[in-house]
């Protein structure tokens, strides 16, 4: 199917995709290799909810990424790997090599007893073997569950146990800037509480020589060397599980979002080509971690299924200095660059000479994702990185949506700073008011989606009831995103941020409930409440109100201990930026914490807290206001 390449195309194709979504997606899906065509494009009911795309279709996604491309692309680079240390040589992996490596991992998994439908946890650094691991699972129909390597053992335990992983692929350690992280020891800690895991395969990356448990652990290089580089792909149903990826919820434990083979393949490929206007031969770099949905969809599945060259970066933007991103763009002649507003804001703080010393003339398109981008960062990005010549695609989407939903199409959509602009083909947004009524025309409300798209998450693993309650009960018959949104007179959308108890810190979703329960693990803490507050670089920071059993004697020491507790239980990304000790929390008579009040205090707006008379103890508010940290 032809890709949209002008604004009149957009209007025509968007309209057609809404008038007859089945016909539209049927046509897009024909671009792929299927072992058996689908009988029916879509079956859906948002009330149940029930969702299925390309019913009866049979495929293997890795054949669409690898085998399909080999005749033309065997020697084209599929993957460029840029290591953490600039002194280490980058690696270029061709499509032919990628296929061999993926097949070897597939065979390794099969040799270890992994079969279609088994869950495999991947807890690895950003190295090529991580890509082989993900695709190796997909090759044999195993369901991958990638866990971000910055999460600690508590998070790993939850994620492994929730879906009953049988095998863990990991590494001895990871390099991150000037730090070395011991991944295997985190896995060892976690596995004391994970009875379903039978095997652990460990890649050697840092040479940290971890303990190996006999019978359970083995080295990747010792196992892989004699694996055959041919591996029969498992033929999957469109609706068979491809992967599970956990995302924070506003209550309770993280949710294992389920994505399936057919729809996810079609949508990530289509949006990659459309949004970035990918041209044959271009180098695409998405700076996300594969541990998040952005890495799944736009480092691995979207670009590789399109036959692109995708760049995988192991390091961080500030190491060895603030010029690293720009140096990598120059070194690999990157054409399409996709990053997060938080990274832009942190690089904006550094002297411009870090940008100016690099040749960025290869760039054609810039993208952002993960959180709202403020106008100032948008202009800085446009002027200094794009030199005013590169369209910026501000892509709004979610782990649950699988791919970009509201986004400019590069060079086609007229952009507007901080606006995600218009819905992509097939996407039908609705703005809802406080009474659950749809707002027509310009306005502000909560963002819902009225019609399914192929890469929509099908359920929460093992908990369809939670799936229904979280996404389909707020506005019956619609999918509720959890985001606030404004629509202007031209129909452009601007995402204003979460309206639930999820905060987005440096582009990472964190549930306030999850952080609270980690804080409460500290033996001095009786109760806590967490809210977000505006943070110049991270977008939002974590502000914790904490009640202790006894008035703390050394507040700073206790703060450090609480941060450490959160870091150990969830991971360093969830550490509170501010901890205010309080003697009580503002609660309603029914015992519910009034977060609205805490949010205002954290935002430094305690002058207008609104009505506090319904509180159990209005006096506590005064104390909280007095002790606010700014
Ligand atoms: C937020 C990341 C504003 C939003 C792909 C969403 C954004 C959440 C944007 C999902 C954007 C993502 N502008 N906000 N361009 N993109 N968000 O699941 O609040 O990690 O609901 O998926 O990030 O985060 P997630």
């Amino acid at each position: 199917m032809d890709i949209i390449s002008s604004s009149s195309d957009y209007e025509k194709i968007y309209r057609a995709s809404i008038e007859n979504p089945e016909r539209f997606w049927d046509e897009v899906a024909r671009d792929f290799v299927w072992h058996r065509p689908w009988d029916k494009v879509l079956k859906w009911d948002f009330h149940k909810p029930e969702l299925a795309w390309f019913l009866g279709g049979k495929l293997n996604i890795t054949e669409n990424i690898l085998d399909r491309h080999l005749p033309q692309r065997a020697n084209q680079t599929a993957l460029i790997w840029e290591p953490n240390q600039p002194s280490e040589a980058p690696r270029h992996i061709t499509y032919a090599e990628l296929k061999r490596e993926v097949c070897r991992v597939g065979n390794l998994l099969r040799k270890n007893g992994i079969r279609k439908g088994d869950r495999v946890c991947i807890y690895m650094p950003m190295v090529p073997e991580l890509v082989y691991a993900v695709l190796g699972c997909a090759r044999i129909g195993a369901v991958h569950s990638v866990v971000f390597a910055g999460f600690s053992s508590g998070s790993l335990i939850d994620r492994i146990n929730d879906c009953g992983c049988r095998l863990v692929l990991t590494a001895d350690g990871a390099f991150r800037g000037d730090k070395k992280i011991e991944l295997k020891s985190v896995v060892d800690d976690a596995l004391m509480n994970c009875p379903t895991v039978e095997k652990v395969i460990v890649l050697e990356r840092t040479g940290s020589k971890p303990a190996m448990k006999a019978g359970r652990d083995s080295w990747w290089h010792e196992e892989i060397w004699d694996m055959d580089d041919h591996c029969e792909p498992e033929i999957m149903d469109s609706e068979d599980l491809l992967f599970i990826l956990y995302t924070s919820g506003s209550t309770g434990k993280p949710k294992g979002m389920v994505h399936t083979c057919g729809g996810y393949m079609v949508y990530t490929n289509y949006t990659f080509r459309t949004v970035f206007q990918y041209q044959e031969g271009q180098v695409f770099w998405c700076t996300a971690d594969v541990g998040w949905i952005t890495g799944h969809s736009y480092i691995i599945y979207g670009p590789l299924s399109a036959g692109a060259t995708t760049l995988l970066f192991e390091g961080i933007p500030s190491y060895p200095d603030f010029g690293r991103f720009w140096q990598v763009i120059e070194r690999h002649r990157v054409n399409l660059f996709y990053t997060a507003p938080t990274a832009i804001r942190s690089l904006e703080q550094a002297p411009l000479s870090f940008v100016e010393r690099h040749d960025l003339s290869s760039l054609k398109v810039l993208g952002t994702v993960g959180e709202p981008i403020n106008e100032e960062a948008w202009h800085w990005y446009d002027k200094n990185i794009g030199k005013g010549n590169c369209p910026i695609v501000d892509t709004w989407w979610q782990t649950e949506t699988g791919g970009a939903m509201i986004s400019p199409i590069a060079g086609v959509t007229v952009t507007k700073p901080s606006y995600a602009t218009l819905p992509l083909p097939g996407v039908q947004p609705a703005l809802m008011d406080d009474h659950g009524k749809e707002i027509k025309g310009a306005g502000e409300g909560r963002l819902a989606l009225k019609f399914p798209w192929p890469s929509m998450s099908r359920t929460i693993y093992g908990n369809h009831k939670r799936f229904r309650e979280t996404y389909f009960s707020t506005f019956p018959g619609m999918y509720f995103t959890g985001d606030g949104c404004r629509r202007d007179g031209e129909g452009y959308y601007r995402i204003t941020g979460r309206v639930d108890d999820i905060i987005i810190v440096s582009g990472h979703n964190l549930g306030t409930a999850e952080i609270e329960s980690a804080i409460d693990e500290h033996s001095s803490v009786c109760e806590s409440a967490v809210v977000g507050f505006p943070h110049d670089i991270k977008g939002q920071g974590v502000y914790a109100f904490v009640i202790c059993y006894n008035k703390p004697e050394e507040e700073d020491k206790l703060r450090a201990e609480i941060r450490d507790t959160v870091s150990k239980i969830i991971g360093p990304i969830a550490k509170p930026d501010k901890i205010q000790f309080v003697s009580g929390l503002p609660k309603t008579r029914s015992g519910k914490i009034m977060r609205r009040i805490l949010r205002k205090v954290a935002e430094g707006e305690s002058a207008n807290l609104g009505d506090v008379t319904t509180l159990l103890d209005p006096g506590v508010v005064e104390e909280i206001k007095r002790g606010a940290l700014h």
Side-chain angles (χ1 to χ4, degrees), residues 247 292-294 338 341 368-373 394-401 406 418 420 481-483 494-498 504 507-509:
T247 188
W292 313 114
I293 192 68
T294 309
Y338 191 28
T368 74
V369 58
E371 52 180 317
I373 180 163
D394 174 355
T395 64
W396 172 83
W397 57 293
Q398 309 180 297
T399 304
E400 295 84 342
T401 71
I406 300 182
S418 81
T481 64
D483 279 317
R494 176 187 180 144
I495 309 299
T496 52
R498 302 287 312 188
I504 304 195
H508 308 315
N509 291 11

Side-chain angles (χ1 to χ4, degrees), residues 521-587:
E521 289 291 305
H522 189 287
S523 58
S524 307
V525 175
C526 159
E527 193 182 357
S528 62
V530 163
V531 295
F533 71 97
H535 187 287
D536 285 348
I537 292 179
K538 301 202 260 186
Q540 280 189 294
V542 177
Y543 194 125
F545 297 87
V546 174
I547 306 176
C548 296
Y549 291 107
N550 302 304
K551 191 170 163 29
E553 278 167 21
E554 290 176 82
E555 291 200 346
D556 281 341
K557 183 162 164 276
L558 186 55
R559 284 194 181 97
E561 285 175 19
I562 291 173
R563 285 200 184 100
D564 204 42
T565 306
V566 174
S567 185
K568 286 210 180 88
I569 295 174
I570 305 177
I573 50 172
K575 276 195 288 202
D577 299 278
K578 293 182 181 175
I579 299 176
Q580 179 180 349
F581 295 107
V582 294
S583 66
L585 290 167
K587 288 190 181 170

Side-chain angles (χ1 to χ4, degrees), residues 387-419:
K387 319 287 182 199
N389 289 323
C390 300
I392 297 180
V393 291
D394 174 355
T395 64
W396 172 83
W397 57 293
Q398 309 180 297
T399 304
E400 295 84 342
T401 71
M405 302 291 287
I406 300 182
S407 168
I409 296 174
V412 170
T413 314
V414 176
T415 56
K416 194 166 179 178
S418 81
Y419 278 75

Side-chain angles (χ1 to χ4, degrees), residues 184-227:
K184 174 63 166 50
S185 69
V186 178
V187 172
D188 288 338
D189 278 355
L191 293 195
M192 292 197 279
N193 296 295
C194 299
T196 55
V197 175
E198 297 152 32
K199 282 271 160 76
V200 179
I201 299 174
V202 187
L203 180 79
E204 190 168 15
R205 173 66 189 128
T206 57
S208 70
K209 308 224 170 352
M212 299 290 276
K213 187 170 169 185
R216 187 193 72 183
D217 303 350
S218 55
W219 286 104
W220 183 297
H221 59 273
E222 287 175 8
E223 291 240 8
I224 202 100
W225 71 274
D226 62 345
M227 288 296 127

